[in-house]
Amino acid sequence: MNYLALYQSGELLQRVRDAYRRLSACDLCPHECGVNRIKEERGICGAGLKPKIASANVHRGEEPPISGTKGSGTIFFSGCSLKCAFCQNFPISQFGNGEEITTKELAARMLKLQRLGVHNINFVTPTHFLPQILAALWLAIPQGFSLPLLWNSSGYEKVDALMVLSGVIDIYLPDMKYSDDTHAVEISAVTEYRAFNRSAVTEMLRQVGHLQVDENGIATCGLIVRHLVLPQDRAGSIETLHWIATNLGLETHIALMSQYFAAHKALSMPEMECRITVDEYNRVVDVLEEVGLDNGWVQDHDDI
Ligand code: SF4
């Protein structure tokens, strides 16, 4: 892993220190709340100083190169910088359910998952805990930690924060949720999602390139973009696919998801309370094929 070289050179420790400094006027994500998380002030994501996790388990339901045969070691963080009205995990993302732990304990969870034989450690909704994740990695390495690291995020991120992860994260798994900022504001309460998201995935690709797998088909590094089709084209799916084809390249791996269902606040939003139709999903799949984005996965109609 590249992060082993960063550890040995002292660069990783320097990055941990620099990242923690940012918490005193938090600017880790585009919200730039400016709160002092060292003093336990809270911003939009609700995160404080200590990492807070909802679970640390072996997950077998990710994309095939991620879950492989032994599963992905998924660490699910509490809180989120997005307020998605339809979030299926809202008790964790919006209400902050979970357990506050130390970075030492986070390192221990990573090592435990490694002992269980997983292919990678999969940080889910990690953006607001970037410094704590780096610190846990720094603690885990001398105890024998050596798995690929996966950043499984909303894609609402700043390039300067992602640059701290260069050479640390092996696999990026970001969402591209919206191509229209009006819908991002209405549904997820975030401004300028499109610009931040597109800059973020471009930086991710710069760091890790397109998806690479080993002889067993297990991901070793690279980018997979996730896109969830929303009712009445609220996600702007077709525009996003054209943007990916033009700007990231036709080799890009895309996980195109049809599994939307109304949860949380979407249950009281007329435009969001229904599932997508088979026709809506098929139209997006057709565009995927028309533009030549052949790498990745589409879901069965059974998921609609
Ligand atoms: S990580 Fe949280 S506190 Fe920091 S800027 Fe983003 S939403 Fe605000």
Side-chain angles (χ1 to χ4, degrees):
M1 296 305 113
N2 289 334
Y3 57 69
L4 296 176
L6 294 176
Y7 177 85
Q8 281 157 3
S9 69
E11 167 75 16
L12 185 61
L13 181 57
Q14 190 56 48
R15 290 196 199 182
V16 172
R17 288 180 174 142
D18 291 346
Y20 264 90
R21 254 180 234 120
R22 298 178 71 145
L23 291 177
S24 62
C26 190
D27 67 347
L28 284 176
C29 86
H31 287 304
E32 297 189 337
C33 299
V35 295
N36 189 340
R37 288 175 52 188
I38 308 282
K39 293 185 176 175
E40 295 293 356
E41 292 173 9
R42 310 283 165 141
I44 289 171
C45 64
L49 179 57
K50 286 185 179 173
K52 191 173 187 183
I53 66 168
S55 62
N57 291 319
V58 180
H59 186 34
R60 300 182 188 279
E62 303 283 37
E63 288 77 359
I66 304 301
S67 285
T69 52
K70 300 175 184 169
S72 177
T74 303
I75 299 180
F76 212 121
F77 289 93
S78 302
C80 187
S81 53
L82 275 71
K83 303 294 168 200
C84 298
F86 57 85
C87 184
Q88 296 163 12
N89 296 314
F90 66 92
I92 298 165
S93 65
Q94 307 305 310
F95 302 158
N97 288 1
E99 172 193 8
E100 258 189 1
I101 59 175
T102 62
T103 50
K104 192 175 166 190
E105 177 61 18
L106 182 56
R109 304 282 177 112
M110 292 162 62
L111 287 157
K112 183 178 176 189
L113 288 165
Q114 178 172 273
R115 285 194 298 276
L116 292 173
V118 297
H119 296 294
N120 48 60
I121 295 296
N122 181 348
F123 298 119
V124 184
T125 325
T127 307
H128 46 296
F129 287 121
L130 183 153
Q132 295 86 343
I133 289 168
L134 283 183
L137 175 63
W138 185 78
L139 292 169
I141 290 171
Q143 299 178 67
F145 183 78
S146 62
L147 288 177
L149 295 178
L150 197 153
W151 193 259
N152 183 341
S153 73
S154 69
Y156 187 58
E157 288 165 287
K158 291 170 61 182
V159 169
D160 64 84
L162 289 172
M163 285 169 71
V164 178
L165 300 172
S166 184
V168 173
I169 296 298
D170 300 285
I171 303 155
Y172 280 105
L173 188 57
D175 292 335
M176 291 193 79
K177 289 179 181 289
Y178 303 102
S179 62
D180 181 334
D181 285 339
T182 311
H183 294 139
V185 171
E186 283 170 4
I187 301 169
S188 294
V190 283
T191 55
E192 297 181 75
Y193 179 88
R194 183 170 79 163
F196 279 111
N197 179 239
R198 291 180 177 183
S199 300
V201 294
T202 302
E203 168 62 16
M204 292 172 183
L205 181 65
R206 184 196 70 76
Q207 289 183 22
V208 298
H210 290 295
L211 184 68
Q212 307 279 326
V213 297
D214 66 14
E215 63 281 5
N216 297 313
I218 307 301
T220 54
C221 68
L223 172 74
I224 300 173
V225 173
R226 279 181 171 169
H227 180 76
L228 175 67
V229 180
L230 294 179
Q232 300 178 40
D233 198 28
R234 288 295 194 285
S237 304
I238 291 170
E239 189 188 328
T240 291
L241 294 184
H242 281 288
W243 185 87
I244 291 171
T246 304
N247 295 279
L248 302 182
L250 296 177
E251 309 97 302
T252 310
H253 281 69
I254 300 175
L256 189 68
M257 299 180 288
S258 62
Q259 66 199 32
Y260 175 82
F261 65 86
H264 189 38
K265 294 179 179 172
L267 290 165
S268 53
M269 294 171 73
E271 70 281 16
M272 296 293 287
E273 66 186 3
C274 56
R275 300 195 71 135
I276 64 168
T277 66
V278 171
D279 280 350
E280 278 178 310
Y281 190 64
N282 283 345
R283 208 175 310 134
V284 181
V285 173
D286 287 346
V287 171
L288 194 67
E289 291 166 4
E290 280 163 27
V291 298
L293 286 163
D294 296 330
N295 292 332
W297 305 269
V298 296
Q299 286 183 318
D300 293 335
H301 292 152
D302 294 348
D303 295 313
I304 297 177

